[in-house]
Amino acid sequence: MTIAVSPDLSPALVLNADFRPLSYYPLSLWSWQDAIKAVFLDRVTILAEYERAVRSPTFSMRLPSVVCLKTYVKPARNPAFTRFNVFLRDKFQCQYCGSPHELTFDHVVPRSKGGLTTWENVVAACSPCNLKKGGLMPREAGMIPHQTPFQPTVHDLHNNGRLFPPNYLHQSWLDYLYWDSELDPE
Ligand SMILES: [Zn+2]
């Protein structure tokens, strides 16, 4: 799973007031037009720039490559229960066979047996596994999810989102994307 980003559009990485990206997946990016608008509205501080500039007869400005919000946006404590966030929690992998293809979502306890559509009962599953499991309980089908489904925090989703960087990362973004990631002790 890769988000396509076109470097030709000179997108700006948008950071919260704590210098972390607003979102990792998809990565919080604005078009250069939106970034410049926000600069003029005094909503952001420019932290890094592209070589490329926009010019008019009276004005010239290098395009921002990293901007930071002046006002901290408090992230929602509990991420929305959406298909996308379920996939992100499960790292875009079928929880039965690990395939990243043809993802759907599966009720671990089938709906026909009273299973609910909740964080704790829904997992990412590929179509073949979903079909195979059908209306069976995990034990009957011999199909146990790799990870017991759970309600993730925003932090969990951010961490997973980092595993799926877009196809293009500007040099100036890298420090802000990885400075707060955990270091491997050597
Ligand atoms: Zn599968």
Side-chain angles (χ1 to χ4, degrees), residues 83 86-87 89-90 92-108 122-134 143 145:
R83 184 182 292 242
V86 169
F87 287 174
R89 180 199 64 186
D90 295 348
F92 298 93
Q93 282 181 334
C94 172
Q95 289 301 295
Y96 299 111
C97 74
S99 166
H101 302 296
E102 291 184 68
L103 287 186
T104 61
F105 70 84
D106 179 61
H107 289 77
V108 177
V122 165
V123 295
C126 70
S127 295
C129 285
N130 205 337
L131 271 174
K132 201 168 127 197
K133 183 161 168 294
M143 295 169 73

Side-chain angles (χ1 to χ4, degrees), residues 64-150:
S65 63
V66 182
V67 296
C68 159
L69 298 181
K70 292 196 171 178
T71 309
Y72 182 74
V73 175
K74 212 172 163 203
R77 191 135 41 107
N78 294 319
F81 178 57
T82 61
R83 184 182 292 242
F84 179 86
N85 284 342
V86 169
F87 287 174
L88 189 52
R89 180 199 64 186
D90 295 348
K91 301 181 184 168
F92 298 93
Q93 282 181 334
C94 172
Q95 289 301 295
Y96 299 111
C97 74
S99 166
H101 302 296
E102 291 184 68
L103 287 186
T104 61
F105 70 84
D106 179 61
H107 289 77
V108 177
V109 174
R111 268 187 293 190
S112 58
K113 304 223 159 84
L116 302 175
T117 305
T118 59
W119 280 115
E120 291 78 14
N121 192 46
V122 165
V123 295
C126 70
S127 295
C129 285
N130 205 337
L131 271 174
K132 201 168 127 197
K133 183 161 168 294
L136 298 174
M137 294 295 277
R139 263 170 222 290
E140 294 175 312
M143 295 169 73
I144 312 285
H146 289 168
Q147 144 188 285
T148 305
F150 62 99

Side-chain angles (χ1 to χ4, degrees), residues 171-182:
Q171 195 62 34
S172 67
W173 301 353
L174 298 179
D175 286 342
Y176 300 101
L177 290 179
Y178 297 110
W179 73 269
D180 69 336
S181 51
E182 284 183 35

